[in-house]
Amino acid sequence: MKFATASSPHTPSTGELNALMRQVIYALLPAIATAWWFFGWGVLINIAVASIFALGAEAAILLLRNRPLAPALSDCSALLTAILLGLALPALAPWWLAAVGALFAIVFAKQLYGGLGFNPFNPAMVGYVVLLISFPLEMTSWPAPQELATVSLSLVETLSYSFGGTLPATLGLDALTTATPLDAIKTGVGLEQSVAAISQSPLFGEFGGKGWEWLAAAYLLGGLWLLYKRIISWHIPAGLLGALALIATLFWLGDASRYASPLFHLFSGAAIIGAFFIATDPISAATTLRGRLLFGIGIGLITYIIRTWGGYPDGIAFAVLLMNMAAPTLDYYTRPRVFGQGGR
């Protein structure tokens, strides 16, 4: 039998990479549907705008670098970055917010480092943090979840607001937006209110924010499917969620009037999407097994510190980027011993 053997280097086929990226995108579909149900059409508009600009930016930079377009555009990595960014944005964000975030993620965080496989930071989180620092007002205008909304915008009305800033004559933006659960806890505790009193707001559900609980559950469903399919390993999600839950439990047991419960921290923000879909980026995360576990633990601890004492209600994006910087060091000190060297 004759085997066709290509010359070295024997890199993995792009088909395998495409399949992995598609599996991750499929795992996000329940969360996309849940986010659309609770927060409206803006979720899909954000994803669509981010996808168009991410793919366009990827193509433009590849042309400037004289690189072939088809392999990079078909590997779905830019599309996955756009979807994660679109899900992280407020559903009533103006269209240019998704566009600027996608351009920054692809051009500065990915292609200027050499493209897929060379980026030291998670591109979606770089785009998100740039937007959060540059446009705080637009990035904190979240719509009320479907359970609390007295009015909801149709697709046409949402498109009109996203692209033209125009709302129906009888509606103001204040009637559509509300604080996120994490923001409500942070602001209330800062005003010396107890967590129990703050949680009496209709914004809160059984153990997290209304709507946010179901969105986190959808991310968890997709994440478990990725584990089952062995697309990701358990180390980073377990480290991140375990560390976040443990430190939240310790402070909650110490003073439940000032510190929210561990379930609230897990199901009211970006902890679960961060654990399964963002921190597990194979390029920017640690690669050894012990390194991955420490990488996840670091993100969980930093997230809690930022949420509790930092300047932002959620801290997943900052925590991921900070631990991206630590990933090479974690890999260096957690390398498995080479057989036959060291020890006895």
Side-chain angles (χ1 to χ4, degrees), residues 9-97:
H10 302 287
T11 56
S13 68
T14 55
E16 183 179 352
L17 179 63
N18 297 352
L20 290 175
M21 292 291 177
R22 282 199 302 271
Q23 297 273 10
V24 179
I25 292 173
Y26 295 155
L28 282 168
L29 292 179
I32 294 173
T34 306
W36 165 76
W37 173 258
F38 282 102
F39 297 104
W41 291 99
V43 173
L44 304 185
I45 295 172
N46 284 343
I47 293 173
V49 172
S51 299
I52 292 169
F53 278 85
L55 293 172
E58 182 110 307
I61 297 296
L62 289 171
L63 286 173
L64 288 174
R65 296 176 60 201
N66 294 319
R67 298 296 179 89
L69 294 182
L73 291 180
S74 62
D75 66 18
C76 298
S77 62
L79 182 61
L80 178 59
T81 296
I83 292 173
L84 291 173
L85 180 64
L87 284 168
L89 297 179
L92 284 179
W95 70 272
W96 54 263
L97 208 62

Side-chain angles (χ1 to χ4, degrees), residues 103-119:
L103 290 174
F104 206 93
I106 297 300
V107 175
F108 289 91
K110 182 181 178 184
Q111 286 296 336
L112 290 189
Y113 283 103
L116 183 65
F118 298 96
N119 50 289

